[in-house]
Amino acid sequence: MDPETKLQLTKLENNSTDLQQPQPLAVDVTLVEYGSSSDVEVIPRIYGAFGQVDHFPMRTQLLPCGLPPTEDSNLKSELEKLLLSPEDLPIFELNKLQQFWPRKSDPSSLYHIDLKPNQMKLKVTRDMATGVLQEYEEVSIENSDLTSRNSTSLKRSPIPERDRGPVTGQSTNMPFWPGGFDPLQLRPPDVEESDELNFDTCELLTDPPNFGPGMNFDRITYSENKIEVSESSGIPISEILTANIPWIKDDDEIQETTDNDDDQIEANAKSQSQTQATASKEEIDSLVNSVKVVENKPKNVNQRWFSRVNMNQNVDNFHTIVPEMAFTWPFELDVFQKLAVMKLEKHENVFVAAHTSAGKTVVAEYAIALAAKHLTKTVYTSPIKALSNQKFRDFKNTFTDVGLLTGDVQINPEASCLIMTTEILRSMLYNGSDTIRDVEWVIFDEVHYINDDERGVVWEEVLILLPDHVGLILLSATVSNSDELADWVGRTKRKKIYVISTTKRPVPLEHFLYRSPDQKTDKDLIKIFDSEETLLNNNLQQALKRPKSTNKASQTGSKSTTRGKPKTEAQIYQSLIKNLMKKDPPMVPAVVFVFSRKKCDSLAGSLSNANLSTKDEKSKIIRVINKSIAVLSDIDKKLPQVIWLCNILKQGVAVHHSGILPVLKEIVELLYQEGLVKCLFATETFAMGVNMPARCVIFDTIFKHDGKSRRRLNPGEYIQMAGRAGRRGKDETGIVIILFKDEIEEIDLRQMIMGKPQKLESKFRLTYGMALKVLRVEHLQVEDLMWRSFAELHKQVQKSSLEKQLLPLQARLVSRDFDCPNCAVDIESYCEKLSDYHDINKSLQKMLLTELQSKIKGRFVVVDNDKHQNALGIVLNVNTNSKGVFLCKTFILVDKAEEKSISLKPKGSRPYSTELFIPYGGCHYKIETIREDDIAVISKNSLRSELSKDNLALHADYQRRKQLLEQLRYIDERDVVQLKGRVACEINNSELLITELVFENILSPMEPEEIAALLSCIVFQQKNCSPPNLTDTLSQGMGIIIQKANELDQLEKDYGIQIYETYTDKINFGLTEVVHEWAKGKPFAEIMKLTDVSEGVIVRCMQRLESTCTEVKSAAKIIGDPVLFDKMIEASRMIKRDICFTASLYIK
């Protein structure tokens, strides 16, 4: 320390006032004592701009951390001055206190009152017999305080325009009450609802003090020609006919009655009319018919909830039944189409299971026109986005008011006809979108997609959640269990479903084997099934015995890796296509189904010089291509895939699979529909929704790899693809050709071609998102969805049957009067009653065993036979012998010494006992096979469990998932959704993983492009790809995400949760580098050099990533993180550009 600074410090310590002005940048220091060990720290101060130094002791400027202040006279006096003289504070300065803003008086503002919902309304009451208006009555309006935040009722107030948000709704809204669920009771069942006070029982004072008698609240009794009206009593119809009623109760009191009640009412009316003769028989019948409410619901609980429509009925009177059709076509409708239209006119629900190209779209078009006529809405759902775009173009040409809702596109969301994917409709239902109020019909196209392992659960959720007022139209290809699916839908929604199906294809199919590519004669095509679906056995045997090509490379089939294979494959298809082109008429266009994207490209490239198009056709193709790719930038037009596909399109050859850019796939579809594509190489997805029939369908092989093993196509898959052959109105038959390159067994061909169509099965599974979205609704339970899933259909059917059979037996048991045997006068009477009890119990037990044969395994039973009396046992296994006798292999407790329960007399000669046998001391066991007669009792709650929600297949898994959610604080101990749960409701994929990343603030410190790159691991699903080259920040983020995924996987494993796919398997960082560079602005051509993933997969990943960024943005808004909110907006902007988000050609 320099001498001058020391001098200044000495003067400051002595409170000197004659300090010299310090030199510029002179350094002063302060000593601060802190901590419990009296440590001292030297703190320097820089002078030069501060002026005179304050005269406070330096050590009192900072107090020691964690210690009370020391006693100091100067500090004490200053504190007293500060606390005892608040008027000296700056806030009390007059120049700040005397500010005044003049107020302009406006008395008229006091007259304004905010509008509130009406609490009362006027109700007209009239005579039900004559229709004469009696009087007006003021009644209260129910549900006036219901909103989307506190009610699931359709009567709730609409969401205000300023709070409405997107058309898909908001996660803060309650969903509408699903149809088919029991009506919601807001009051406990033992609390009676009353619109007015009961002055007879409430003991209220009627006379104020010092006042005379007040109003008389006694019930009014009318004269003899009137009836006494009481709140608790109904009004007999006979009295209505014979009296002049001054007023009539609510319409709600006119309820649906059973057949017995109707008969009683008619009897009363008839008796009264005979005595007073004031009304004619016609009036009575008229009134009874008007009171009875007819509903389209089976009254018998055991009745089926579907009805198969007779396809052979006469429909010649169709135009008489439907004289003014909502929509007409320039052709005559088929029988199944007319039957469907007749059902829709009655607002009845239909399930149309028809062959491919039969014309199922006609039913959808009529429903759209019918809703437009009724000024309501129709929702058309499709399984894939490409089909939604195609249907939007088709319906836009037919109807004017059409809208489209997909993950990244919203066009005319207020339209009468809304086309969307099924996932969008599910979001609208969970989020309580007000659009659902106006929906009259929901059309499920390709409903057989319910069989999809990954997305089939979406169809089940939507069908369960739809409100009661929405009509259902299910469109599907032919399936083997259409009745079962219709029964489940009808039973779930409490609506009868009418099944309409076709018996044959409009264009029959002929199946051929293409055996030898070396020959160029018609003998190469061998017909094995004719148009009547008759097997040509001689031809089949001939095809199977004919020698294969001498070219050894061709015998290796699709598994060959020899260098000569591409040339051999090219020769096969060049020979086949040219042969088809020479036919009269030509058998083109042809669709070749190949179960490999790379092989599709390879085979199409081998025909790049085939020259299947004429000069005029090439000119048209070039015009369509140039017009379509005009939306691309100059750089994107030079992409290798764009150039390659445009070149082969000019030759009449095309490719269609998920690796192709979406805009190029749409160009292929448009050219194909114009007949300009002669040969199309496609994967299986082409047949799953895109409606583009062909003249001929060719199977490169009948074997595919399903992700687990290589197997033969099942009948459903074969029919789905082969059904594309045959254009209605153009072809007499459709041609299906199977290339005979692999070894094909006769039995495989027979089963594949002649086998039954696919069987629809439930793919319902629990997800955390589903559980949280349902738990946030107070009166809705996840068990309600599980119970109504397609997988639980058999239990729903059994429950109805079992309850119906048990009711009379239970009543019979209750009616029995069993006296005490010690008090019985007649022992014979006691024995007789005991025998009856045994018989009833035996019949009841036999009935239960019959119903529970397949579910008794693992239950406790009480064994009572000649060897054991009331011995406890466990059923290990069940089976039925050759005579149909039900047998149970049972673990039975016995005495260790005697190895049986007790020394017994035969079962029929020992006294009756209800005491359970308990071995004393050491016990032993025996494993015996017993008959159903040997089982006295099944575990007490077995029947109760069978009929309860605890017996649901997924109930245990759901309870474990709730425990995990509670541990992670998504819900509390009362199953109330917490903040983390609300955030998870915004996420549609990997909910827990993304929510944990948000709450642990892992994403906020990163840059927007880094956040987008890391989130790509959630949406990218291709397993085999080149490894990315990541920056240090991305590598660190990847490690954190993998660690968090491992933690969640371990938690699920610890809780024993049924895992469909682990989080570690879900995430894939293969496109992290690609997304990072794309978000930084690199062109698409450059990012393609960073990976071997195909262009179409990258674009699909970018589109799904943009939706995920939007979901994370909503999550950031909920938790109040403005930094992450802004970064997610920026991330979405960075990736949403150029070819990845080019508008569809169908919506222009």
Side-chain angles (χ1 to χ4, degrees):
M1 184 179 300
D2 59 286
E4 186 177 359
T5 302
K6 289 183 179 180
L7 178 62
Q8 293 180 8
L9 179 61
T10 303
K11 293 180 180 180
L12 187 62
E13 289 288 342
N14 297 328
N15 294 327
S16 176
T17 59
D18 56 349
L19 290 175
Q20 298 295 327
Q21 180 69 24
Q23 296 298 324
L25 300 179
V27 178
D28 194 5
V29 296
T30 300
L31 300 178
V32 177
E33 183 181 2
Y34 66 94
S36 58
S37 59
S38 300
D39 293 335
V40 178
E41 183 174 351
V42 179
I43 301 177
R45 182 186 300 272
I46 300 177
Y47 279 88
F50 292 92
Q52 188 66 25
V53 180
D54 295 335
H55 300 287
F56 292 102
M58 296 298 295
R59 66 185 184 85
T60 61
Q61 291 184 0
L62 294 176
L63 297 177
C65 181
L67 295 178
T70 59
E71 298 237 356
D72 189 277
S73 58
N74 294 336
L75 178 62
K76 184 176 180 181
S77 61
E78 290 185 12
L79 287 174
E80 290 178 353
K81 182 180 179 181
L82 176 66
L83 298 176
L84 299 179
S85 303
E87 64 275 5
D88 295 336
L89 295 177
I91 60 175
F92 292 101
E93 295 180 3
L94 293 178
N95 60 345
K96 294 183 179 180
L97 291 176
Q98 297 300 320
Q99 296 183 19
F100 176 74
W101 293 270
R103 177 182 177 186
K104 185 178 180 180
S105 61
D106 185 14
S108 61
S109 63
L110 301 175
Y111 306 150
H112 175 72
I113 300 177
D114 292 335
L115 295 177
K116 295 184 178 180
N118 292 331
Q119 302 295 323
M120 306 293 290
K121 68 177 181 179
L122 291 178
K123 178 186 174 184
V124 177
T125 58
R126 61 180 71 246
D127 191 302
M128 293 185 61
T130 63
V132 177
L133 190 148
Q134 299 289 336
E135 63 177 2
Y136 294 96
E137 182 181 5
E138 191 175 26
V139 296
S140 61
I141 300 178
E142 297 181 357
N143 309 322
S144 60
D145 58 341
L146 300 183
T147 66
S148 61
R149 305 297 175 91
N150 60 17
S151 173
T152 60
S153 173
L154 283 169
K155 297 180 180 179
R156 71 193 189 194
S157 302
I159 304 174
E161 186 69 28
R162 64 179 182 275
D163 301 330
R164 186 161 298 176
V167 68
T168 54
Q170 296 176 323
S171 60
T172 54
N173 298 337
M174 292 283 191
F176 291 109
W177 191 250
F181 283 53
D182 295 332
L184 182 61
Q185 294 183 353
L186 298 180
R187 293 179 175 82
D190 55 341
V191 177
E192 296 183 0
E193 180 181 0
S194 177
D195 292 336
E196 60 183 18
L197 291 174
N198 190 341
F199 292 95
D200 297 333
T201 59
C202 64
E203 299 181 356
L204 295 177
L205 296 177
T206 58
D207 298 337
N210 301 325
F211 278 76
M215 181 175 291
N216 183 12
F217 291 98
D218 295 337
R219 295 291 181 184
I220 301 175
T221 303
Y222 294 92
S223 58
E224 58 181 355
N225 66 329
K226 299 180 180 180
I227 67 169
E228 180 179 355
V229 179
S230 174
E231 184 70 27
S232 59
S233 63
I235 306 177
I237 292 181
S238 57
E239 296 184 6
I240 293 178
L241 294 176
T242 57
N244 184 16
I245 307 301
W247 56 276
I248 299 176
K249 304 305 294 180
D250 270 0
D251 293 339
D252 295 338
E253 296 183 7
I254 305 174
Q255 300 175 352
E256 180 184 0
T257 60
T258 61
D259 294 337
N260 294 334
D261 294 336
D262 292 337
D263 296 339
Q264 184 65 34
I265 292 174
E266 293 180 1
N268 292 341
K270 182 177 180 181
S271 173
Q272 190 71 15
S273 63
Q274 289 176 351
T275 56
Q276 300 188 5
T278 58
S280 63
K281 183 176 182 304
E282 291 77 7
E283 293 174 333
I284 297 176
D285 295 339
S286 168
L287 183 60
V288 172
N289 291 334
S290 65
V291 172
K292 183 177 179 181
V293 179
V294 180
E295 294 188 2
N296 187 23
K297 298 180 179 180
K299 294 183 178 180
N300 185 358
V301 295
N302 221 16
Q303 185 173 343
R304 301 183 304 179
W305 287 86
F306 74 95
S307 176
R308 180 165 285 278
V309 178
N310 181 16
M311 301 303 297
N312 297 322
Q313 61 179 293
N314 189 359
V315 292
D316 293 340
N317 59 344
F318 169 74
H319 294 287
T320 303
I321 299 175
V322 189
E324 297 182 4
M325 296 181 63
F327 189 79
T328 57
W329 294 266
F331 53 86
E332 184 68 18
L333 299 182
D334 290 344
V335 173
F336 86 93
Q337 295 168 338
K338 291 181 178 180
L339 293 174
V341 169
M342 292 164 62
K343 294 299 181 183
L344 295 184
E345 284 287 348
K346 299 177 182 178
H347 203 271
E348 293 175 334
N349 308 276
V350 297
F351 177 18
V352 181
H355 291 80
T356 305
S357 303
K360 297 184 290 291
T361 307
V362 167
V363 183
E365 290 176 342
Y366 194 82
I368 296 171
L370 201 61
K373 178 181 178 181
H374 298 163
L375 302 181
T376 56
K377 295 181 182 293
T378 302
V379 171
Y380 184 99
T381 68
S382 65
I384 56 180
K385 179 182 175 181
L387 182 58
S388 297
N389 293 337
Q390 185 184 21
K391 288 298 181 182
F392 175 78
R393 187 195 65 169
D394 296 341
F395 289 156
K396 189 70 175 177
N397 295 333
T398 306
F399 308 97
T400 55
D401 195 16
V402 181
L404 176 66
L405 299 177
T406 59
D408 57 339
V409 176
Q410 286 192 8
I411 300 175
N412 194 13
E414 302 298 330
S416 173
C417 173
L418 290 176
I419 302 171
M420 62 186 70
T421 57
T422 316
E423 282 81 1
I424 297 296
L425 179 57
R426 179 180 63 172
S427 298
M428 295 177 67
L429 292 172
Y430 275 125
N431 295 339
S433 172
D434 267 354
T435 304
I436 301 296
R437 296 175 180 271
D438 303 328
V439 175
E440 181 179 3
W441 299 102
V442 171
I443 304 167
F444 294 90
D445 196 7
E446 309 291 343
V447 76
H448 54 267
Y449 224 87
I450 200 172
N451 256 15
D452 186 76
D453 292 331
E454 182 180 358
R455 300 172 58 209
V457 60
V458 180
W459 272 256
E460 295 193 48
E461 285 185 77
V462 170
L463 285 167
I464 294 171
L465 292 172
L466 279 173
D468 188 62
H469 72 280
V470 178
L472 302 175
I473 300 175
L474 311 178
L475 307 179
S476 169
T478 53
V479 292
S480 59
N481 60 336
S482 57
D483 292 350
E484 184 181 2
L485 180 67
D487 187 37
W488 166 68
V489 175
R491 194 177 299 273
T492 300
K493 308 309 294 182
R494 300 295 173 185
K495 298 177 180 180
K496 199 158 191 176
I497 307 296
Y498 292 89
V499 181
I500 301 174
S501 60
T502 55
T503 57
K504 61 180 181 179
R505 288 179 50 85
V507 180
L509 298 179
E510 293 180 340
H511 303 264
F512 294 81
L513 276 180
Y514 187 74
R515 174 71 183 194
S516 175
D518 289 345
Q519 301 182 16
K520 298 183 179 180
T521 64
D522 290 343
K523 294 181 180 180
D524 295 339
L525 284 176
I526 303 175
K527 184 186 297 186
I528 56 176
F529 280 87
D530 60 14
S531 59
E532 300 295 330
E533 298 184 357
T534 303
L535 173 63
L536 305 179
N537 192 55
N538 294 335
N539 291 0
L540 178 60
Q541 297 300 328
Q542 178 186 359
L544 295 176
K545 290 180 181 179
R546 286 182 60 182
K548 292 185 181 180
S549 170
T550 57
N551 191 329
K552 294 182 180 180
S554 65
Q555 298 180 10
T556 60
S558 59
K559 298 183 68 176
S560 172
T561 58
T562 61
R563 190 172 183 180
K565 177 196 170 186
K567 184 177 179 181
T568 303
E569 295 284 355
Q571 291 175 349
I572 292 175
Y573 283 99
Q574 287 174 1
S575 175
L576 177 58
I577 299 301
K578 288 181 180 180
N579 192 9
L580 297 177
M581 292 283 291
K582 292 178 181 179
K583 297 287 185 181
D584 187 19
M587 292 186 181
V588 289
V591 176
V592 183
F593 284 106
V594 184
F595 306 111
S596 168
R597 292 191 304 229
K598 291 184 178 179
K599 190 173 181 181
C600 274
D601 297 341
S602 175
L603 293 176
S606 67
L607 296 180
S608 59
N609 297 322
N611 196 18
L612 305 179
S613 303
T614 63
K615 292 183 178 180
D616 292 339
E617 291 174 337
K618 288 181 179 180
S619 177
K620 293 180 181 178
I621 292 172
I622 293 173
R623 286 199 301 267
V624 172
I625 291 176
N626 293 336
K627 181 179 179 181
S628 300
I629 66 174
V631 298
L632 303 180
S633 63
D634 294 337
I635 298 178
D636 291 336
K637 291 178 182 179
K638 298 177 182 179
L639 289 172
Q641 189 180 87
V642 175
I643 297 174
W644 172 76
L645 188 57
C646 291
N647 288 334
I648 65 171
L649 279 172
K650 298 174 184 177
Q651 306 299 323
V653 182
V655 176
H656 191 286
H657 56 72
S658 59
I660 301 298
L661 289 168
V663 64
L664 297 182
K665 283 200 296 185
E666 292 178 350
I667 293 174
V668 170
E669 293 167 5
L670 293 174
L671 293 174
Y672 183 89
Q673 292 173 350
E674 295 295 329
L676 300 177
V677 174
K678 308 301 181 181
C679 182
L680 174 65
F681 292 90
T683 54
E684 188 177 2
T685 55
F686 182 80
M688 292 303 294
V690 181
N691 184 22
M692 290 191 292
R695 174 71 176 95
C696 174
V697 166
I698 302 172
F699 286 89
D700 179 70
T701 178
I702 61 172
F703 296 95
K704 62 176 285 189
H705 197 282
D706 59 3
K708 299 178 181 179
S709 61
R710 189 170 184 266
R711 61 171 177 83
R712 174 182 56 81
L713 297 176
N714 61 49
E717 294 170 334
Y718 179 81
I719 293 173
Q720 182 72 25
M721 288 181 277
R724 295 297 168 186
R727 299 164 297 179
R728 189 171 186 179
K730 295 182 179 180
D731 305 323
E732 295 182 359
T733 60
I735 306 300
V736 182
I737 300 174
I738 302 173
L739 296 190
F740 197 180
K741 299 185 299 181
D742 301 317
E743 288 294 337
I744 302 177
E745 300 294 336
E746 179 181 351
I747 186 65
D748 289 336
L749 284 174
R750 288 176 179 268
Q751 291 178 351
M752 185 179 66
I753 299 175
M754 303 177 63
K756 292 183 179 180
Q758 61 180 331
K759 182 179 180 181
L760 300 181
E761 298 177 350
S762 175
K763 304 299 180 182
F764 188 86
R765 54 187 172 87
L766 283 176
T767 62
Y768 296 107
M770 177 199 303
L772 291 170
K773 290 173 183 176
V774 175
L775 285 174
R776 66 188 177 91
V777 184
E778 180 181 1
H779 304 287
L780 206 57
Q781 296 180 353
V782 179
E783 290 92 339
D784 295 331
L785 271 69
M786 294 190 296
W787 173 255
R788 289 167 173 81
S789 67
F790 191 23
E792 302 290 346
L793 174 62
H794 64 285
K795 292 183 180 178
Q796 299 177 31
V797 177
Q798 287 179 356
K799 178 184 177 183
S800 303
S801 176
L802 193 59
E803 288 179 341
K804 182 181 179 182
Q805 295 177 14
L806 285 179
L807 284 176
L809 292 176
Q810 291 175 345
R812 198 174 162 196
L813 285 173
V814 173
S815 64
R816 292 287 181 176
D817 185 15
F818 296 104
D819 296 330
C820 175
N822 298 325
C823 305
V825 178
D826 190 354
I827 193 66
E828 294 182 359
S829 175
Y830 163 73
C831 292
E832 181 180 351
K833 292 180 179 179
L834 184 60
S835 177
D836 292 344
Y837 172 79
H838 271 292
D839 294 340
I840 296 173
N841 187 61
K842 184 177 179 180
S843 62
L844 177 61
Q845 196 68 33
K846 186 174 182 179
M847 184 183 304
L848 291 177
L849 287 171
T850 302
E851 293 289 342
L852 303 177
Q853 280 185 9
S854 61
K855 302 177 183 62
I856 196 176
K857 182 178 178 180
R859 297 186 184 273
F860 288 98
V861 294
V862 175
V863 181
D864 188 24
N865 56 18
D866 292 341
K867 297 181 180 180
H868 309 280
Q869 183 176 13
N870 298 340
L872 188 63
I874 302 177
V875 178
L876 303 179
N877 200 2
V878 294
N879 55 53
T880 305
N881 62 14
S882 58
K883 298 181 180 180
V885 179
F886 177 60
L887 302 176
C888 299
K889 187 177 181 180
T890 310
F891 175 99
I892 306 174
L893 289 180
V894 298
D895 272 339
K896 183 176 182 180
E898 302 180 1
E899 292 193 358
K900 59 182 179 180
S901 40
I902 51 176
S903 180
L904 295 176
K905 296 180 180 180
K907 181 177 179 180
S909 60
R910 62 174 180 247
Y912 172 75
S913 173
T914 59
E915 183 179 358
L916 183 65
F917 163 72
I918 302 177
Y920 292 96
C923 64
H924 197 56
Y925 70 89
K926 296 184 69 176
I927 296 179
E928 297 181 359
T929 300
I930 60 176
R931 302 162 61 95
E932 59 181 7
D933 296 339
D934 299 335
I935 299 177
V937 178
I938 308 175
S939 52
K940 181 178 179 180
N941 60 350
S942 61
L943 177 59
R944 190 175 302 169
S945 173
E946 190 70 23
L947 300 178
S948 71
K949 295 178 180 178
D950 295 338
N951 197 41
L952 295 172
L954 297 175
H955 186 267
D957 185 55
Y958 169 58
Q959 295 300 325
R960 299 187 189 103
R961 288 178 184 267
K962 279 205 307 182
Q963 294 173 7
L964 187 146
L965 291 174
E966 183 177 348
Q967 177 178 339
L968 295 177
R969 299 183 180 179
Y970 287 76
I971 60 176
D972 62 11
E973 64 277 2
R974 297 174 298 171
D975 296 344
V976 177
V977 178
Q978 302 301 299
L979 179 60
K980 290 180 73 174
R982 290 174 52 200
V983 170
C985 289
E986 298 287 339
I987 313 299
N988 292 320
N989 191 14
S990 299
E991 306 92 349
L992 298 191
L993 180 58
I994 295 180
T995 303
E996 293 298 319
L997 296 177
V998 171
F999 271 83
E1000 293 188 10
N1001 202 31
I1002 294 173
L1003 302 178
S1004 293
M1006 299 181 182
E1007 296 299 323
E1009 61 270 17
E1010 295 173 341
I1011 298 175
L1014 290 176
L1015 288 179
S1016 67
C1017 71
I1018 304 294
V1019 297
F1020 180 54
Q1021 298 177 339
Q1022 182 174 317
K1023 300 300 181 184
N1024 301 322
C1025 62
S1026 58
N1029 183 19
L1030 304 181
T1031 63
D1032 293 340
T1033 305
L1034 292 178
S1035 298
Q1036 184 180 0
M1038 182 179 71
I1040 296 174
I1041 293 176
I1042 293 176
Q1043 179 184 356
K1044 182 56 62 177
N1046 290 330
E1047 292 175 2
L1048 292 174
D1049 289 340
Q1050 186 61 43
L1051 271 176
E1052 290 187 331
K1053 184 178 180 181
D1054 294 342
Y1055 278 97
I1057 293 173
Q1058 182 179 351
I1059 301 176
Y1060 302 100
E1061 186 179 11
T1062 63
Y1063 283 97
T1064 307
D1065 293 336
K1066 287 181 182 178
I1067 59 177
N1068 188 343
F1069 293 90
L1071 283 186
T1072 302
E1073 180 187 9
V1074 171
V1075 174
H1076 185 251
E1077 297 300 325
W1078 174 257
K1080 291 170 65 175
K1082 280 193 176 183
F1084 195 82
E1086 292 189 24
I1087 67 170
M1088 285 303 303
K1089 300 176 182 178
L1090 304 176
T1091 181
D1092 57 354
V1093 179
S1094 57
E1095 293 86 340
V1097 176
I1098 294 178
V1099 171
R1100 176 59 179 157
C1101 175
M1102 295 291 183
Q1103 293 174 348
R1104 295 182 62 188
L1105 178 60
E1106 196 276 333
S1107 300
T1108 302
C1109 290
T1110 303
E1111 294 167 0
V1112 177
K1113 180 190 70 175
S1114 301
K1117 182 179 180 180
I1118 291 177
I1119 65 175
D1121 188 346
V1123 175
L1124 181 60
F1125 182 84
D1126 294 338
K1127 288 185 177 181
M1128 297 317 301
I1129 294 178
E1130 181 65 15
S1132 296
R1133 185 195 64 79
M1134 287 179 169
I1135 63 175
K1136 194 173 183 179
R1137 63 180 178 86
D1138 296 344
I1139 195 171
C1140 290
F1141 290 87
T1142 301
S1144 172
L1145 300 178
Y1146 290 123
I1147 63 179
K1148 292 186 175 181

